[in-house]
Amino acid sequence: YRGDRIINEENAGTYAGLLASFFMLGRTLSAYLWGIGADACGRKPALIWSLLTSSGFSLMFGLSKTFRFALLARFLLGFCNSIQSTAKTS
């Protein structure tokens, strides 16, 4: 249920696609920043910080009660997910 709209089989794919897209949008917008931060502070601190914040935002996503809050949580999860961009450069 999303406000006045009910999620059913016909529109569930749209909502799932939005959730996945918001994650990738956050990841795309922060990849360069994570690279700069990892160069300045080191790879290990960047990976640890990413792991901790990603855990928190995953929990926030799992406990979200509205679709908008779930979108925000997915965006922030993607934004704080530096595993791929940081680990590839080490």
Side-chain angles (χ1 to χ4, degrees), residues 13-87:
T14 301
Y15 293 113
L18 282 172
L19 287 171
S21 298
F22 269 65
F23 176 82
M24 293 308 294
L25 178 65
R27 199 171 188 185
T28 302
L29 294 176
S30 69
Y32 185 71
L33 299 173
W34 276 110
I36 292 171
D39 287 342
C41 301
R43 305 283 183 251
K44 188 173 180 180
L47 288 171
I48 290 171
W49 181 252
S50 174
L51 178 65
L52 292 175
T53 56
S54 293
S55 299
F57 289 127
S58 291
L59 184 63
M60 188 172 114
F61 173 68
L63 296 174
S64 60
K65 295 187 186 262
T66 64
F67 187 72
R68 285 184 183 180
F69 194 73
L71 284 177
L72 175 65
R74 286 295 286 182
F75 175 79
L76 293 173
L77 177 59
F79 196 85
C80 293
N81 187 321
S82 74
I83 301 296
Q84 186 176 9
S85 58
T86 304

